[in-house]
Amino acid sequence: MRFNEKEMVHLSRQPSEMVAELGMRGPKKGDVVKRRLVKLVVNFLFYFKTDEEEPVGALLLEQCRVEKEDNLTFSVAFLEDAERKYLFECDSEEQCEKWIDSIIKASYEFMRRNLIFYRTEIHRLTGKDPLEQYGISDEARFQVTNGLQHSSRDASSM
Amino acid sequence: MSRRNGCRRPRTHEIIIRRARERGVTMKLNERSVAHYATCDSPPDKTGFLFKKGERNTAYHRRWFVLKGNMLFYFEERDSREPIGVIILEGCTVELCESAEEFAFAVKFDCARARVYKMAADSQAAMESWVKALSRASFDYMRLVVKELERQLEEIQEATGGGPQGRPRASKRMSKSRSSSSSSSLSTSSSSSGQKNHQDEVQLLSAGPKENGVAWSKPRPGLANGSSDGVSSCVAWEGGANGAKAPPVPPRRRGASLESPFSPGTGCFSKLHDWVKADTGEHPQGLAAKSRLHPGMFEMIITSHFS
């Protein structure tokens, strides 16, 4: 599948609040832990070899499950193959929990659900659609029906 | 690739590497998951046929496009099981473009040697609809809208929770604001919105057929958990019983700024849609009427947001 790699690399260079060097292990049997600079930008988790400018790779964080594996480790798995887990080792429990929280909130679909909730709630409280004054009320992506998905994010075993 | 007797099929891994070299791709991506996102049950934001100009072969090819979130997938056919490719829509502008092809537009990225994706629709309406949808597809944009609504909800909850009805506490809001100039313009517009009904002035955008008509029935007392069962019976809220399960309210990030890393100048949500106002000098409530799209104005909004 083709994708706009140059633009992705450019994206990976944008400032981010969540950047850290973590131990990262791939999902395949036999994959070993490697130190990677992990960076969260929009709904992508980029990972770099330390001191390299271009990322080794990126993980799209939609339709994924983030779980705490132990005090210092969290995993990211994708719904179509929940057994394949990417593992990340942190330096502290606090760091681990912060990453889990950030990744859960880094999905587009998560934001969309929030938006729909706020929109509904504001309308309930005021009788007004908060998006109307900006002229974006009938934008498809903000509709309630678009929020109907049975795929969901878990942060189990926290 | 046909299999001949005595000839081993190349291992999948080798195929991947060879194709990667052919494409000049070096970065890994969880492609299977990305493709899965394209084809899974979650409803797309927009779908349709568009002509797309090829990379090497510069002819326009008709492809089936699926827009989901900030990703624009394209398939060879409408019933293809996997996308041929995906365009990640962050940090881009969407512009109408001069082309021999009718109803053409382009997705441009702001990075060195970036590719320009040229596309063409079947009609003026389809083109405008796609340009609008694509320009609002970024994660960044969604984040701005969410933050804005979150802020509005907080204001409302404070106003209704404590002091006198409908009287927003301007001073308290100012002290919480992250960007003083933006919040003052915002407080002006939102303090009036609670008291006046601007629905007469506001006109909804109409690019393309209206599938989600917005008509508000009288709101019934809602449920505390935000479930939208009792909100409305109109089209926009149908199925809301399942849809509005209250998500956890994101904690307010200490020191987090509304400034978008991509376009610092438009970190303020009200400014995003105020570009037109600045030009016309009109009251923000009349903004929606002005933002009824026509090419020049639209480009200005979009370019300002994403540049």
Side-chain angles (χ1 to χ4, degrees), chain B residues 134-147:
Chain B
L134 293 174
S135 60
R136 291 180 184 148
S138 72
F139 186 95
D140 225 31
Y141 179 81
M142 176 62 90
R143 184 159 46 190
L144 278 178
V145 180
V146 171
K147 279 196 171 135

Side-chain angles (χ1 to χ4, degrees), chain A residues 121 124-125, chain B residues 219-231:
Chain A
E121 193 61 9
R124 181 180 72 80
L125 293 173
Chain B
R220 290 174 253 159
L223 302 169
N225 65 0
S227 156
S228 66
D229 275 12
V231 174

Side-chain angles (χ1 to χ4, degrees), chain B residues 278-299:
Chain B
D279 193 45
T280 62
E282 277 195 299
H283 188 278
Q285 297 309 327
L287 173 66
K290 277 296 167 200
S291 62
R292 182 182 293 277
L293 297 176
H294 62 82
M297 205 157 284
F298 183 77
E299 267 181 67

Side-chain angles (χ1 to χ4, degrees), chain B residues 11-295:
Chain B
R11 293 203 308 260
T12 313
H13 180 69
E14 288 163 4
I15 295 174
I16 290 172
I17 298 295
R18 188 175 70 219
R19 283 187 188 155
R21 284 205 197 101
E22 284 166 9
R23 298 197 317 250
V25 165
T26 49
M27 196 180 104
K28 289 190 228 177
L29 181 65
N30 55 331
E31 290 185 24
R32 248 179 42 184
S33 305
V34 175
H36 178 78
Y37 179 52
T39 53
C40 74
D41 291 347
S42 64
D45 296 308
K46 195 170 175 62
T47 60
F49 284 106
L50 288 170
F51 291 94
K52 177 176 165 294
K53 196 169 188 184
E55 265 179 284
R56 292 172 214 151
N57 175 1
T58 53
Y60 278 83
H61 297 104
R62 193 166 185 254
R63 300 280 181 240
W64 176 252
F65 280 81
V66 173
L67 174 63
K68 250 191 208 184
N70 58 346
M71 328 252 325
L72 182 64
F73 298 94
Y74 49 100
F75 297 74
E76 183 146 8
E77 307 281 348
R78 183 169 180 169
D79 48 12
S80 301
R81 283 175 56 208
E82 279 193 11
I84 306 173
V86 61
I87 302 167
I88 290 128
L89 299 166
E90 288 300 319
C92 65
T93 57
V94 186
E95 299 171 9
L96 306 175
C97 67
E98 303 272 324
S99 174
E101 200 71 26
E102 256 194 314
F103 315 122
F105 60 96
V107 179
K108 296 185 182 177
F109 289 86
D110 178 30
C111 69
R113 297 187 320 272
R115 185 167 157 196
V116 176
Y117 291 87
K118 275 193 164 170
M119 261 115 44
D122 286 328
S123 68
Q124 179 74 13
M127 179 196 68
E128 285 183 7
S129 178
W130 273 105
V131 170
K132 188 167 66 122
L134 293 174
S135 60
R136 291 180 184 148
S138 72
F139 186 95
D140 225 31
Y141 179 81
M142 176 62 90
R143 184 159 46 190
L144 278 178
V145 180
V146 171
K147 279 196 171 135
E148 167 63 13
L149 294 197
E150 187 189 354
R151 189 201 61 78
Q152 280 190 29
L153 184 58
E154 277 174 26
E155 268 183 25
I156 291 163
Q157 285 171 337
E158 280 165 20
T160 57
Q165 276 287 349
R167 192 100 67 81
R169 291 172 212 145
S171 54
K172 192 172 179 188
R173 202 180 326 123
M174 287 294 272
S175 66
K176 278 191 203 159
S177 73
R178 290 127 187 177
S179 157
S180 57
S181 59
S182 62
S183 116
S184 54
S185 68
L186 207 49
S187 56
T188 315
S189 51
S190 47
S191 60
S192 57
S193 69
Q195 289 152 17
K196 284 195 278 177
N197 183 357
H198 287 276
Q199 288 196 326
D200 308 327
E201 295 178 30
V202 169
Q203 297 171 48
L204 297 173
L205 282 174
S206 60
K210 253 191 213 156
E211 283 161 38
N212 291 306
V214 180
W216 303 97
S217 66
K218 193 175 161 197
R220 290 174 253 159
L223 302 169
N225 65 0
S227 156
S228 66
D229 275 12
V231 174
S232 158
S233 58
C234 70
V235 171
W237 301 97
E238 231 151 72
N242 307 332
K245 200 171 59 163
V249 177
R252 201 175 311 156
R253 280 186 227 135
R254 276 179 295 261
S257 144
L258 272 177
E259 294 290 326
S260 152
F262 297 95
S263 48
T266 55
C268 169
F269 186 81
S270 71
K271 277 203 181 121
L272 173 62
H273 295 92
D274 267 4
W275 291 106
V276 175
K277 174 205 163 201
D279 193 45
T280 62
E282 277 195 299
H283 188 278
Q285 297 309 327
L287 173 66
K290 277 296 167 200
S291 62
R292 182 182 293 277
L293 297 176
H294 62 82

Side-chain angles (χ1 to χ4, degrees), chain A residues 63-67 75-79 82 152-156:
Chain A
Q63 315 277 296
C64 75
R65 170 190 290 160
V66 191
E67 275 185 306
S75 66
V76 178
F78 297 94
L79 289 189
S152 58
R153 279 247 165 126
D154 293 298
S156 46

